[in-house]
Amino acid sequence: QDHIRKLIEQEDLETVYKEFEYESDILTRYFLECGIYPDDYMTYIPENCFTRGVAEGSYVVSGTVKSIGRWAFSACPKLVEVVIPNSVTKIAGHAFHSCGLQSLVVPKSITVIEESAFRFCHDLKSVTFNNNVLTVEEDAFSSCAKDSILVVNFSGTKQQFRSITKGAFKDTYYIAHCIDGDIVKRRK
């Protein structure tokens, strides 16, 4: 383990992950087996880093991370909770696609949630975010809360919610609690 830590400290871990591209989940599995959390050494979580079931249970993203990459945690059905620190400003497309997340608190630092970031999170029951989020892209929360209602707690107005979430909740039945009332959307 000490040898691995020295190697990580000598090398730019972000560059190493770029070299692994679509197999970065294999590299992550190896690091985790050694007791090393790769995001402790990076400012972003690379594409495919924890994908294909690498992340399970609850995962706390390191406070050094500023963005979560595309497909970073996708296809992790046993990932039920993720704690995102206030250092993160962006969640890239498909980052948590098809995860087992049950609830989500989006920190105030997040300004962009890209396309399909939480799509097909069938177990997702609640999302809390505020009006600091400037954009929630197309399909970001589509097909969530499969057999129930997704409860969205939003600290802005109904108009603000509608303006930043156009097309973000397709095929998702939700109730959004805003400061000036509720919005109910049924599946089409």
Side-chain angles (χ1 to χ4, degrees):
Q1 289 182 5
D2 289 336
H3 172 70
I4 302 285
R5 287 184 202 281
K6 286 179 185 173
L7 179 66
I8 289 171
E9 290 168 6
Q10 291 171 353
E11 295 292 324
D12 176 13
L13 196 56
E14 293 174 8
T15 302
V16 172
Y17 266 97
K18 285 178 186 173
E19 292 174 12
F20 269 77
E21 289 190 55
Y22 296 109
E23 287 83 29
S24 61
D25 60 311
I26 296 168
L27 183 61
T28 301
R29 283 181 199 275
Y30 177 73
F31 286 142
L32 293 175
E33 286 172 8
C34 295
I36 296 168
Y37 290 85
D39 55 315
D40 286 343
Y41 299 89
M42 298 185 286
T43 58
Y44 75 99
I45 296 179
E47 189 168 320
N48 299 307
C49 187
F50 291 94
T51 194
R52 296 185 279 241
V54 172
E56 296 181 352
S58 179
Y59 192 85
V60 178
V61 175
S62 172
T64 62
V65 172
K66 294 179 182 168
S67 68
I68 298 173
R70 295 180 64 77
W71 304 98
F73 289 89
S74 66
C76 289
K78 293 181 181 177
L79 178 64
V80 296
E81 179 186 35
V82 65
V83 178
I84 302 171
N86 279 321
S87 59
V88 176
T89 59
K90 176 181 143 186
I91 299 173
H94 304 276
F96 294 92
H97 189 280
S98 300
C99 283
L101 296 175
Q102 296 173 356
S103 65
L104 174 68
V105 176
V106 178
K108 291 180 180 181
S109 57
I110 299 283
T111 57
V112 177
I113 300 173
E114 289 186 353
E115 83 285 347
S116 301
F118 296 93
R119 189 174 195 170
F120 296 119
C121 288
H122 294 307
D123 298 327
L124 193 60
K125 303 289 186 263
S126 71
V127 175
T128 300
F129 66 99
N130 61 61
N131 57 357
N132 287 356
V133 176
L134 303 175
T135 306
V136 181
E137 291 184 1
E138 189 88 7
D139 293 320
F141 291 95
S142 290
S143 300
C144 289
K146 187 175 180 181
D147 295 315
S148 62
I149 299 169
L150 178 63
V151 176
V152 181
N153 298 298
F154 180 67
S155 67
T157 65
K158 293 189 288 188
Q159 181 180 359
Q160 288 172 319
F161 181 82
R162 286 184 182 111
S163 72
I164 65 170
T165 62
K166 291 178 184 164
F169 290 89
K170 291 179 187 168
D171 298 321
T172 299
Y173 181 27
Y174 70 84
I175 182 166
H177 300 297
C178 302
I179 60 172
D180 59 346
D182 295 340
I183 301 171
V184 177
K185 186 220 172 226
R186 292 173 175 74
R187 284 189 183 94
K188 291 182 180 181

